[in-house]
Structure formats: structure tokens, C-alpha cells
Short mmCIF file of all heavy atoms in Angstrom, two decimals:
data_model
loop_
_atom_site.label_atom_id
_atom_site.label_comp_id
_atom_site.label_asym_id
_atom_site.label_seq_id
_atom_site.Cartn_x
_atom_site.Cartn_y
_atom_site.Cartn_z
N GLY A 844 111.52 106.47 121.96
CA GLY A 844 112.53 106.74 122.97
C GLY A 844 113.87 106.17 122.52
O GLY A 844 114.38 106.49 121.44
N LEU A 845 114.45 105.31 123.35
CA LEU A 845 115.73 104.68 123.02
C LEU A 845 115.55 103.38 122.26
O LEU A 845 116.52 102.76 121.86
CB LEU A 845 116.52 104.41 124.32
CG LEU A 845 116.89 105.63 125.15
CD1 LEU A 845 117.60 105.20 126.43
CD2 LEU A 845 117.78 106.58 124.36
N ASP A 846 114.30 102.95 122.08
CA ASP A 846 114.02 101.66 121.44
C ASP A 846 113.66 101.84 119.97
O ASP A 846 113.06 102.85 119.59
CB ASP A 846 112.88 100.95 122.17
CG ASP A 846 113.19 100.70 123.63
OD1 ASP A 846 114.18 100.02 123.91
OD2 ASP A 846 112.46 101.21 124.49
N GLU A 847 114.02 100.83 119.17
CA GLU A 847 113.75 100.86 117.74
C GLU A 847 113.09 99.56 117.33
O GLU A 847 113.51 98.48 117.76
CB GLU A 847 115.05 101.07 116.97
CG GLU A 847 114.86 101.27 115.47
CD GLU A 847 116.17 101.54 114.76
OE1 GLU A 847 117.20 101.66 115.45
OE2 GLU A 847 116.17 101.63 113.52
N PHE A 848 112.04 99.65 116.49
CA PHE A 848 111.26 98.48 116.10
C PHE A 848 111.07 98.46 114.59
O PHE A 848 111.09 99.50 113.93
CB PHE A 848 109.87 98.50 116.77
CG PHE A 848 109.90 98.45 118.27
CD1 PHE A 848 110.04 99.62 119.01
CD2 PHE A 848 109.79 97.24 118.95
CE1 PHE A 848 110.06 99.59 120.39
CE2 PHE A 848 109.80 97.20 120.33
CZ PHE A 848 109.95 98.37 121.05
N ASP A 849 110.86 97.25 114.05
CA ASP A 849 110.46 97.12 112.66
C ASP A 849 109.46 95.98 112.53
O ASP A 849 109.22 95.24 113.47
CB ASP A 849 111.67 96.91 111.73
CG ASP A 849 112.33 95.56 111.93
OD1 ASP A 849 111.87 94.77 112.78
OD2 ASP A 849 113.32 95.27 111.24
N SER A 850 108.85 95.86 111.34
CA SER A 850 107.84 94.84 111.10
C SER A 850 108.03 94.28 109.70
O SER A 850 108.39 95.01 108.77
CB SER A 850 106.43 95.42 111.25
OG SER A 850 105.45 94.45 110.92
N ALA A 851 107.77 92.97 109.55
CA ALA A 851 107.90 92.31 108.25
C ALA A 851 106.66 92.57 107.41
O ALA A 851 105.57 92.84 107.94
CB ALA A 851 108.11 90.81 108.45
N PRO A 852 106.75 92.50 106.07
CA PRO A 852 105.57 92.66 105.21
C PRO A 852 104.53 91.58 105.51
O PRO A 852 104.87 90.47 105.93
CB PRO A 852 106.15 92.51 103.79
CG PRO A 852 107.60 92.80 103.93
CD PRO A 852 107.99 92.34 105.29
N PHE A 853 103.25 91.88 105.27
CA PHE A 853 102.19 90.91 105.51
C PHE A 853 101.04 91.14 104.53
O PHE A 853 100.92 92.22 103.92
CB PHE A 853 101.69 90.97 106.96
CG PHE A 853 101.18 92.31 107.40
CD1 PHE A 853 99.83 92.60 107.37
CD2 PHE A 853 102.06 93.28 107.86
CE1 PHE A 853 99.35 93.84 107.78
CE2 PHE A 853 101.60 94.53 108.28
CZ PHE A 853 100.24 94.80 108.23
N LEU A 854 100.21 90.11 104.37
CA LEU A 854 99.09 90.14 103.43
C LEU A 854 97.76 90.19 104.19
O LEU A 854 97.62 89.56 105.24
CB LEU A 854 99.11 88.92 102.52
CG LEU A 854 100.24 88.85 101.49
CD1 LEU A 854 100.29 87.46 100.86
CD2 LEU A 854 100.04 89.90 100.41
N VAL A 855 96.79 90.92 103.64
CA VAL A 855 95.45 91.01 104.22
C VAL A 855 94.44 90.82 103.09
O VAL A 855 94.55 91.47 102.03
CB VAL A 855 95.21 92.36 104.91
CG1 VAL A 855 93.78 92.43 105.44
CG2 VAL A 855 96.20 92.56 106.04
N LYS A 856 93.46 89.96 103.32
CA LYS A 856 92.42 89.70 102.33
C LYS A 856 91.10 90.31 102.79
O LYS A 856 90.74 90.22 103.96
CB LYS A 856 92.24 88.19 102.12
CG LYS A 856 91.26 87.82 101.02
CD LYS A 856 91.16 86.31 100.86
CE LYS A 856 90.17 85.92 99.78
NZ LYS A 856 90.05 84.45 99.64
N ILE A 857 90.40 90.94 101.87
CA ILE A 857 89.07 91.49 102.14
C ILE A 857 88.06 90.82 101.20
O ILE A 857 88.21 90.89 99.99
CB ILE A 857 89.04 93.01 101.93
CG1 ILE A 857 89.94 93.71 102.95
CG2 ILE A 857 87.62 93.54 102.05
CD1 ILE A 857 89.99 95.21 102.79
N PRO A 858 87.06 90.14 101.78
CA PRO A 858 86.85 89.90 103.22
C PRO A 858 87.78 88.80 103.73
O PRO A 858 88.21 87.94 102.97
CB PRO A 858 85.39 89.49 103.29
CG PRO A 858 85.15 88.79 101.98
CD PRO A 858 85.97 89.53 100.96
N SER A 859 88.05 88.84 105.04
CA SER A 859 88.85 87.80 105.69
C SER A 859 87.93 86.85 106.44
O SER A 859 86.96 87.28 107.08
CB SER A 859 89.86 88.42 106.66
OG SER A 859 90.88 89.09 105.97
N GLU A 860 88.24 85.59 106.35
CA GLU A 860 87.43 84.58 107.04
C GLU A 860 87.86 84.49 108.49
O GLU A 860 89.01 84.13 108.80
CB GLU A 860 87.57 83.22 106.36
CG GLU A 860 86.62 82.16 106.89
CD GLU A 860 86.67 80.87 106.09
OE1 GLU A 860 87.43 80.82 105.10
OE2 GLU A 860 85.94 79.93 106.47
N VAL A 861 86.97 84.85 109.39
CA VAL A 861 87.23 84.81 110.82
C VAL A 861 86.22 83.86 111.44
O VAL A 861 85.03 84.16 111.53
CB VAL A 861 87.12 86.21 111.46
CG1 VAL A 861 87.42 86.12 112.96
CG2 VAL A 861 88.05 87.19 110.78
N GLY A 862 86.71 82.69 111.86
CA GLY A 862 85.79 81.68 112.34
C GLY A 862 84.95 81.16 111.20
O GLY A 862 85.46 80.65 110.20
N GLU A 863 83.65 81.33 111.30
CA GLU A 863 82.74 80.91 110.24
C GLU A 863 82.13 82.12 109.52
O GLU A 863 81.17 81.98 108.77
CB GLU A 863 81.63 80.03 110.82
CG GLU A 863 82.13 78.73 111.43
CD GLU A 863 81.01 77.89 112.00
OE1 GLU A 863 79.87 78.38 112.00
OE2 GLU A 863 81.28 76.75 112.42
N LYS A 864 82.70 83.30 109.75
CA LYS A 864 82.16 84.52 109.14
C LYS A 864 83.21 85.15 108.23
O LYS A 864 84.41 84.92 108.37
CB LYS A 864 81.75 85.52 110.23
CG LYS A 864 80.63 85.05 111.13
CD LYS A 864 80.28 86.13 112.15
CE LYS A 864 79.13 85.69 113.05
NZ LYS A 864 78.79 86.74 114.05
N PHE A 865 82.74 85.98 107.31
CA PHE A 865 83.60 86.77 106.45
C PHE A 865 83.51 88.22 106.89
O PHE A 865 82.45 88.84 106.83
CB PHE A 865 83.19 86.62 104.98
CG PHE A 865 83.55 85.28 104.40
CD1 PHE A 865 82.65 84.23 104.42
CD2 PHE A 865 84.81 85.07 103.85
CE1 PHE A 865 82.98 83.00 103.89
CE2 PHE A 865 85.16 83.84 103.31
CZ PHE A 865 84.25 82.79 103.33
N GLU A 866 84.64 88.73 107.37
CA GLU A 866 84.68 90.09 107.92
C GLU A 866 85.24 91.05 106.86
O GLU A 866 86.30 90.81 106.28
CB GLU A 866 85.55 90.14 109.17
CG GLU A 866 85.04 89.29 110.34
CD GLU A 866 83.79 89.88 110.96
OE1 GLU A 866 83.49 91.06 110.68
OE2 GLU A 866 83.12 89.16 111.72
N TYR A 867 84.53 92.16 106.66
CA TYR A 867 85.00 93.20 105.74
C TYR A 867 85.79 94.28 106.47
O TYR A 867 86.55 95.01 105.83
CB TYR A 867 83.81 93.82 105.00
CG TYR A 867 83.33 92.98 103.84
CD1 TYR A 867 82.50 91.89 104.05
CD2 TYR A 867 83.72 93.27 102.53
CE1 TYR A 867 82.05 91.11 102.99
CE2 TYR A 867 83.29 92.49 101.47
CZ TYR A 867 82.46 91.40 101.70
OH TYR A 867 82.04 90.63 100.65
N ASP A 868 85.57 94.41 107.77
CA ASP A 868 86.38 95.32 108.58
C ASP A 868 87.43 94.46 109.30
O ASP A 868 87.13 93.79 110.30
CB ASP A 868 85.52 96.07 109.59
CG ASP A 868 84.54 97.01 108.90
OD1 ASP A 868 84.91 97.56 107.84
OD2 ASP A 868 83.41 97.17 109.40
N VAL A 869 88.65 94.49 108.79
CA VAL A 869 89.70 93.58 109.24
C VAL A 869 90.64 94.32 110.19
O VAL A 869 91.21 95.37 109.83
CB VAL A 869 90.49 93.01 108.06
CG1 VAL A 869 91.52 91.98 108.54
CG2 VAL A 869 89.55 92.37 107.04
N ASP A 870 90.79 93.80 111.41
CA ASP A 870 91.72 94.35 112.39
C ASP A 870 93.01 93.53 112.37
O ASP A 870 92.97 92.30 112.49
CB ASP A 870 91.13 94.31 113.80
CG ASP A 870 89.88 95.17 113.92
OD1 ASP A 870 89.85 96.24 113.28
OD2 ASP A 870 88.94 94.76 114.63
N VAL A 871 94.14 94.20 112.23
CA VAL A 871 95.44 93.51 112.19
C VAL A 871 96.37 94.14 113.22
O VAL A 871 96.32 95.36 113.47
CB VAL A 871 96.07 93.57 110.79
CG1 VAL A 871 95.25 92.78 109.80
CG2 VAL A 871 96.25 95.00 110.30
N GLU A 872 97.21 93.32 113.81
CA GLU A 872 98.25 93.76 114.74
C GLU A 872 99.59 93.24 114.24
O GLU A 872 99.99 92.12 114.56
CB GLU A 872 97.96 93.24 116.16
CG GLU A 872 96.68 93.80 116.76
CD GLU A 872 96.43 93.28 118.17
OE1 GLU A 872 97.25 92.47 118.66
OE2 GLU A 872 95.42 93.67 118.77
N PRO A 873 100.29 94.03 113.45
CA PRO A 873 101.58 93.57 112.91
C PRO A 873 102.55 93.23 114.03
O PRO A 873 102.59 93.91 115.07
CB PRO A 873 102.07 94.77 112.10
CG PRO A 873 100.85 95.59 111.84
CD PRO A 873 99.95 95.38 113.00
N LYS A 874 103.32 92.18 113.82
CA LYS A 874 104.31 91.78 114.82
C LYS A 874 105.51 92.71 114.74
O LYS A 874 106.22 92.78 113.73
CB LYS A 874 104.75 90.33 114.57
CG LYS A 874 105.73 89.81 115.62
CD LYS A 874 106.08 88.36 115.35
CE LYS A 874 107.06 87.84 116.41
NZ LYS A 874 107.43 86.42 116.14
N ALA A 875 105.73 93.47 115.82
CA ALA A 875 106.84 94.42 115.87
C ALA A 875 108.07 93.74 116.46
O ALA A 875 108.02 93.17 117.55
CB ALA A 875 106.46 95.64 116.71
N ARG A 876 109.18 93.79 115.74
CA ARG A 876 110.43 93.19 116.20
C ARG A 876 111.29 94.27 116.84
O ARG A 876 111.51 95.33 116.27
CB ARG A 876 111.19 92.55 115.04
CG ARG A 876 112.46 91.81 115.44
CD ARG A 876 113.03 91.07 114.25
NE ARG A 876 113.50 92.00 113.23
CZ ARG A 876 114.77 92.39 113.11
NH1 ARG A 876 115.69 91.93 113.94
NH2 ARG A 876 115.14 93.23 112.16
N TRP A 877 111.77 93.99 118.08
CA TRP A 877 112.61 94.95 118.81
C TRP A 877 114.00 94.90 118.20
O TRP A 877 114.71 93.91 118.30
CB TRP A 877 112.64 94.60 120.29
CG TRP A 877 113.36 95.59 121.15
CD1 TRP A 877 113.39 96.93 121.02
CD2 TRP A 877 114.16 95.28 122.29
NE1 TRP A 877 114.16 97.51 122.00
CE2 TRP A 877 114.63 96.52 122.80
CE3 TRP A 877 114.51 94.11 122.94
CZ2 TRP A 877 115.45 96.59 123.92
CZ3 TRP A 877 115.32 94.19 124.06
CH2 TRP A 877 115.78 95.41 124.55
N VAL A 878 114.41 95.98 117.54
CA VAL A 878 115.69 96.00 116.84
C VAL A 878 116.83 96.31 117.80
O VAL A 878 117.83 95.61 117.85
CB VAL A 878 115.65 97.03 115.69
CG1 VAL A 878 117.00 97.09 114.99
CG2 VAL A 878 114.56 96.65 114.70
N SER A 879 116.71 97.39 118.58
CA SER A 879 117.83 97.78 119.44
C SER A 879 117.33 98.70 120.54
O SER A 879 116.22 99.22 120.51
CB SER A 879 118.92 98.49 118.64
OG SER A 879 118.42 99.71 118.12
N HIS A 880 118.23 98.87 121.52
CA HIS A 880 118.01 99.80 122.63
C HIS A 880 119.22 100.72 122.68
O HIS A 880 120.26 100.37 123.21
CB HIS A 880 117.84 99.05 123.94
CG HIS A 880 117.72 99.94 125.15
ND1 HIS A 880 116.54 100.55 125.51
CD2 HIS A 880 118.64 100.33 126.06
CE1 HIS A 880 116.74 101.27 126.59
NE2 HIS A 880 118.01 101.16 126.94
N ASP A 881 119.09 101.91 122.06
CA ASP A 881 120.19 102.87 121.97
C ASP A 881 121.42 102.20 121.36
O ASP A 881 122.53 102.33 121.86
CB ASP A 881 120.51 103.45 123.35
CG ASP A 881 121.43 104.67 123.23
OD1 ASP A 881 121.47 105.29 122.15
OD2 ASP A 881 122.10 104.99 124.23
N GLY A 882 121.23 101.47 120.32
CA GLY A 882 122.33 100.79 119.65
C GLY A 882 122.18 99.30 119.76
O GLY A 882 121.72 98.65 118.84
N GLU A 883 122.51 98.73 120.91
CA GLU A 883 122.41 97.30 121.13
C GLU A 883 121.86 97.05 122.53
O GLU A 883 122.24 97.73 123.48
CB GLU A 883 123.78 96.62 120.99
CG GLU A 883 124.31 96.57 119.56
CD GLU A 883 123.46 95.71 118.66
OE1 GLU A 883 122.80 94.79 119.17
OE2 GLU A 883 123.44 95.96 117.44
N PRO A 884 120.96 96.05 122.69
CA PRO A 884 120.46 95.73 124.03
C PRO A 884 121.59 95.22 124.92
O PRO A 884 122.51 94.56 124.45
CB PRO A 884 119.43 94.63 123.76
CG PRO A 884 119.11 94.73 122.31
CD PRO A 884 120.33 95.26 121.64
N VAL A 885 121.52 95.56 126.20
CA VAL A 885 122.50 95.09 127.18
C VAL A 885 121.94 93.89 127.89
O VAL A 885 120.84 93.94 128.42
CB VAL A 885 122.85 96.21 128.19
CG1 VAL A 885 123.83 95.69 129.23
CG2 VAL A 885 123.44 97.40 127.46
N GLY A 886 122.68 92.78 127.88
CA GLY A 886 122.21 91.55 128.50
C GLY A 886 122.15 91.68 130.01
O GLY A 886 122.80 92.54 130.61
N PRO A 887 121.39 90.80 130.70
CA PRO A 887 121.22 90.92 132.15
C PRO A 887 122.50 90.64 132.91
O PRO A 887 122.69 91.16 133.99
CB PRO A 887 120.15 89.86 132.47
CG PRO A 887 120.21 88.90 131.32
CD PRO A 887 120.59 89.72 130.12
N ASP A 888 123.42 89.84 132.36
CA ASP A 888 124.65 89.49 133.07
C ASP A 888 125.84 90.28 132.57
O ASP A 888 126.97 90.03 132.97
CB ASP A 888 124.94 87.99 132.92
CG ASP A 888 123.84 87.13 133.51
OD1 ASP A 888 123.26 87.59 134.51
OD2 ASP A 888 123.58 86.05 132.98
N GLU A 889 125.64 91.22 131.70
CA GLU A 889 126.74 91.98 131.12
C GLU A 889 126.74 93.39 131.68
O GLU A 889 125.73 94.10 131.59
CB GLU A 889 126.58 92.02 129.60
CG GLU A 889 127.69 92.79 128.90
CD GLU A 889 127.47 92.84 127.40
OE1 GLU A 889 126.60 92.11 126.90
OE2 GLU A 889 128.16 93.64 126.74
N PRO A 890 127.82 93.86 132.31
CA PRO A 890 127.84 95.23 132.84
C PRO A 890 127.78 96.24 131.72
O PRO A 890 128.27 96.01 130.61
CB PRO A 890 129.18 95.29 133.59
CG PRO A 890 130.03 94.25 132.94
CD PRO A 890 129.08 93.16 132.52
N GLU A 891 127.14 97.38 132.01
CA GLU A 891 126.99 98.40 130.98
C GLU A 891 128.33 99.03 130.65
O GLU A 891 128.60 99.38 129.50
CB GLU A 891 126.02 99.47 131.45
CG GLU A 891 124.58 98.97 131.60
CD GLU A 891 123.63 100.11 131.87
OE1 GLU A 891 124.08 101.27 131.83
OE2 GLU A 891 122.45 99.85 132.13
#
């Protein structure tokens, strides 16, 4: 929509140690950074 996101590079190891187990099916959720809202976000105290 009007929002734009990006994500930083990241590393994944197979198998990955999860708790006391080694998982071969690795689930990852990259951290998405909110870049802008139709250009620049409008602050709560700033009139549009």
C-alpha cells in the first residue's frame, strides 16, 4: 500500500540448535524495518 519496508541481511545455519535439539527445518522471521508511509511518516503532533 502506502507503506515501505526493508530487512537487513542475516545468517541461518543448518542444522540450527533450538533449545537442546538440532533442527533441520529452520523457521525464520526477518525483522522488517518500516521505511516510510507515502514518503515520510507523519508524527502524531504534526498536522498533515
Side-chain angles (χ1 to χ4, degrees):
L845 299 177
D846 301 300
E847 187 177 355
F848 298 85
D849 69 0
S850 176
F853 57 96
L854 291 168
V855 177
K856 185 179 180 181
I857 295 178
S859 289
E860 188 174 358
V861 181
E863 297 180 354
K864 296 181 179 180
F865 287 93
E866 297 289 345
Y867 280 81
D868 294 326
V869 184
D870 297 323
V871 294
E872 296 181 359
K874 183 178 180 181
R876 184 173 67 97
W877 185 37
V878 178
S879 65
H880 175 81
D881 193 22
E883 289 295 334
V885 177
D888 298 327
E889 181 182 348
E891 293 188 6

